[in-house]
Amino acid sequence: MILNTGQRTDIPAFYSEWFMNRVREGFVMVRNPYNQSAVTRYEINPGLVDMIGFCSKNPIPMLPYIAELDERGFAQYWQVTITPYGRDIEPGVPDKRGIVAAFQKLSALAGRDRIVWRYDPIFLDQKYTADVHLKAFESLARALSGWTDYCVISFIDLYPKVRRNFPQARELTQEQKIALGCGLIQIASRYGIVVRTCGEGDFLAKYGAECGGCMTPAIYEKALGQPLSFPRFTPSRSECACYLSCDIGAYSSCQHFCRYCYANSDLSAVKKNAGLHDPRSPFLIGGPLPGDVVRQAEQKSWKAAPPKEVQRELF
């Protein structure tokens, strides 16, 4: 199975100590975000977890633990977001030069096939114009060339939380998406990087982008270096082909406070949840509550078992 950590919050940036405590204790408790009394227990065991998926804007706090995860037998797949936005848009994200350096180090530690650069979400305004994006993207592509083979892009979607927290945001027109997308694809190709789109359909495919998804079974298999037998899965969005499940994060707990964030309801909720965090707890936020109904997740490795005759040779 794939254990995901990054669709609801940025665990590497803010909760790396907690995460490693969960790895060492071998389990984690996850509240259903839509039914707080429903709790799922996941075993964090390399015999069951084939790969851990990380999505982060700041992997620096996790760097000291990469070797330990390897030693414990956990394969990793990283998506690291690096954008041109400043503190006006991403107040809690550290200086991007440090993130670029961390990306390079993470690539050396985890492996080039297991790390992808995300440049998203893309929006346009008077400060962050198309020219600004193209210049910033080229600078980043130059710095990350040789450290990754892929860059994932997507254009801003105005989900309800985004509209509330970032009312000035506007979606790009189709013409703007094509013009900017083509420019990014051309720049990336000069630095040996292939652009993948995330939830954007296939309109950029004819210009050289891969439009089949950014966290698909094939991508996981390439990162792992072996085939997996994936259970059937229905994506949450029709335009998304990614295989996402078993996320152990919690909404309204990411302290980057990005204006475009779809996972935070508001500033006060994040501050409240951050105050409830205990690195020693099996829950990311808070602890067990009266009325909790705990379900043990059904988990198994998706790796193909070796033939019986090979098993006899091995054991």
Side-chain angles (χ1 to χ4, degrees), residues 193-208:
I193 296 173
V194 175
V195 167
R196 284 179 175 147
T197 60
C198 176
E200 296 294 341
D202 61 358
F203 71 93
L204 288 176
K206 61 183 178 181
Y207 303 106

Side-chain angles (χ1 to χ4, degrees), residues 78-248:
W78 283 84
Q79 297 206 51
V80 178
T81 300
I82 312 177
T83 68
Y85 308 125
R87 294 294 178 90
D88 56 329
I89 303 298
E90 299 173 343
V93 179
D95 184 89
K96 301 301 173 65
R97 289 169 294 185
I99 306 304
V100 167
F103 187 106
Q104 295 168 343
K105 186 172 183 179
L106 184 57
S107 175
L109 291 171
R112 178 172 165 171
D113 285 342
R114 295 182 177 182
I115 186 167
V116 171
W117 165 35
R118 292 191 71 100
Y119 186 92
D120 73 323
I122 298 169
F123 68 87
L124 298 174
D125 64 13
Q126 291 184 341
K127 179 177 180 180
Y128 299 104
T129 63
D131 285 342
V132 167
H133 276 288
L134 293 172
K135 290 177 182 176
F137 187 85
E138 178 146 23
S139 177
L140 290 168
R142 185 184 303 113
L144 300 178
S145 179
W147 299 101
T148 185
D149 295 321
Y150 295 96
C151 176
V152 174
I153 68 169
S154 69
F155 302 98
I156 194 167
D157 291 307
L158 299 184
Y159 298 110
K161 291 179 183 178
V162 179
R163 291 181 185 275
R164 182 169 62 249
N165 296 326
F166 193 13
Q168 304 93 331
R170 298 290 181 269
E171 292 183 336
L172 278 70
T173 66
Q174 190 69 4
E175 291 76 16
Q176 288 174 322
K177 291 180 180 180
I178 292 173
L180 188 51
C182 287
L184 300 180
I185 292 166
Q186 291 169 8
I187 292 169
S189 68
R190 293 203 293 268
Y191 294 96
I193 296 173
V194 175
V195 167
R196 284 179 175 147
T197 60
C198 176
E200 296 294 341
D202 61 358
F203 71 93
L204 288 176
K206 61 183 178 181
Y207 303 106
E210 290 188 2
C211 300
C214 60
M215 285 184 280
T216 64
I219 290 171
Y220 285 130
E221 288 177 330
K222 181 180 179 181
L224 190 61
Q226 69 178 95
L228 297 173
S229 179
F230 289 83
R232 290 185 179 182
F233 176 78
T234 301
S236 59
R237 297 183 295 156
S238 60
E239 67 273 19
C240 179
C242 293
Y243 199 103
L244 300 173
S245 62
C246 307
D247 194 297
I248 64 172

Side-chain angles (χ1 to χ4, degrees), residues 231-299:
R232 290 185 179 182
F233 176 78
T234 301
S236 59
R237 297 183 295 156
S238 60
E239 67 273 19
C240 179
C242 293
Y243 199 103
L244 300 173
S245 62
C246 307
D247 194 297
I248 64 172
Y251 290 121
S252 294
S253 62
C254 181
Q255 297 166 70
H256 289 312
F257 301 119
C258 299
R259 299 287 305 280
Y260 52 72
C261 181
Y262 67 87
N264 285 345
S265 56
D266 57 61
L267 185 65
S268 61
V270 176
K271 290 183 176 179
K272 177 183 177 182
N273 285 334
L276 294 171
H277 173 69
D278 179 355
R280 299 163 297 182
S281 173
F283 293 82
L284 179 60
I285 305 300
L289 297 174
D292 282 348
V293 178
V294 179
R295 176 184 70 89
Q296 178 65 48
E298 295 182 8
Q299 297 175 255

Side-chain angles (χ1 to χ4, degrees), residues 26-30 39-43 294-297 299:
F27 75 98
V28 62
M29 308 291 274
V30 183
V39 176
T40 302
R41 175 185 167 121
Y42 292 100
E43 304 298 323
V294 179
R295 176 184 70 89
Q296 178 65 48
Q299 297 175 255

